[in-house]
Amino acid sequence: MRGPTLVVIPARLASTRLPGKVLKPLGGRPVVEWCRRAALRAAVGPVVVATDSPEVLRAVESFGGSAVLTSPDCHSGTDRVYAALQAVERARRRRFAFVLNLQGDEPFIRPKTVLGTAALLWKGAAMSTAVIPMEDPSDAENPSVVKVALTGEGRCLYFSRAGIPFFSRAHAASDGAAPRVRHIGIYGFSRKTLERFIRLPPSPLEKAESLEQLRALEAGIPITAFLAHEKTMAIDTAADLRRARMMIHG
């Protein structure tokens, strides 16, 4: 059953490989603004950008968006999302049953993917995310591309920067083996799951892979994936930004 849903876009200004990436211009507007507009078009609920930077806040507000300042001491994007949730609820005197965490560096995510991720929560999933088929074979060995092992019903078994699943013989994918899929930077939480998640300490696998979602799996929190079919990419490096600009200019 559909319930009150908040979309939070964590947008930290500092980033290791491409500082200030959320404010980098892309087709006349910042990267984060592309994400915000996709979330708005999905029409699942209010959309707010959560940032530690007044510069990001001003940029979002200049486009008519809503943003909140969160502490620079937030340890993760999910901690920032929870802080924003609390701030929005205090300001609006409204309680949300579901929360989407849409990464601020996913400018090409489609509204139907945001909606599909939210719909899994409304149908009872504790936590949800989105994946797309991995079309470029070189992505299997690219640690910047997060791979996901799924069951046939869409339950996430594992996330890795390594190439999973491993095909034990040539052309295994065409012989009924599980297809390779890659992760898109969006997570959905029921409120109960989010409140549990932020209390959990970072887990061993999370620290090994630098993938926060592994904390949930290690704690026994199931994650269900929405299979999207779109051409998308996260902006992690200067090379990614160049490719994104080429994409929008044809």
Side-chain angles (χ1 to χ4, degrees):
M1 179 182 297
R2 182 166 183 160
T5 306
L6 178 68
V7 182
V8 182
I9 303 174
R12 190 171 63 97
L13 189 60
S15 54
T16 304
R17 288 177 288 180
L18 183 60
K21 65 181 180 179
V22 296
L23 290 185
K24 296 295 184 184
L26 181 62
R29 54 184 183 264
V31 168
V32 68
E33 179 62 13
W34 286 74
C35 305
R36 192 184 71 85
R37 293 188 185 193
L40 285 173
R41 291 196 301 273
V44 301
V47 178
V48 62
V49 174
T51 183
D52 59 351
S53 163
E55 186 179 355
V56 173
L57 182 141
R58 289 193 296 269
V60 172
E61 291 182 341
S62 74
F63 283 91
S66 175
V68 295
L69 278 175
T70 52
S71 170
D73 297 328
C74 289
H75 296 296
S76 69
T78 307
D79 290 331
R80 198 172 305 284
V81 166
Y82 187 66
L85 169 67
Q86 293 178 304
V88 169
E89 289 186 330
R90 285 194 300 268
R92 301 192 182 197
R93 296 184 179 180
R94 181 183 179 188
R95 185 176 174 86
F96 293 92
F98 307 103
V99 182
L100 290 185
N101 171 352
L102 171 58
Q103 304 299 292
D105 59 2
E106 287 278 358
F108 299 120
I109 193 166
R110 292 183 180 175
K112 65 180 181 181
T113 300
V114 178
L115 177 59
T117 305
L120 290 173
L121 299 176
W122 301 335
K123 294 174 183 176
M127 188 170 169
S128 61
T129 192
V131 299
I132 56 173
M134 191 163 53
E135 297 178 351
D136 186 346
S138 67
D139 284 345
E141 306 308 322
N142 182 351
S144 295
V145 175
V146 177
K147 279 70 71 173
V148 191
L150 295 174
T151 67
E153 294 75 34
R155 181 167 56 88
C156 300
L157 295 174
Y158 193 68
F159 297 78
S160 182
R161 298 184 183 277
I164 58 171
F166 172 76
F167 293 144
S168 60
R169 64 185 189 280
H171 310 300
S174 63
D175 294 335
R180 279 182 168 163
V181 295
R182 57 178 293 176
H183 184 241
I184 300 177
I186 183 171
Y187 304 97
F189 298 86
S190 70
R191 186 187 189 91
K192 180 179 178 181
T193 300
L194 178 59
E195 290 177 340
R196 178 187 173 194
F197 183 91
I198 57 100
R199 291 194 297 267
L200 293 170
S203 69
L205 288 175
E206 173 188 0
K207 289 190 261 189
E209 295 256 19
S210 294
L211 295 174
E212 192 180 12
Q213 59 270 45
L214 292 175
R215 186 191 316 178
L217 293 184
E218 285 192 81
I221 298 171
I223 305 176
T224 308
F226 172 76
L227 178 60
H229 295 277
E230 60 187 64
K231 188 174 180 61
T232 187
M233 61 177 292
I235 308 295
D236 290 317
T237 65
D240 292 336
L241 185 60
R242 288 193 294 269
R243 285 194 294 271
R245 287 169 175 165
M246 291 176 62
M247 284 173 64
I248 65 172
H249 293 300

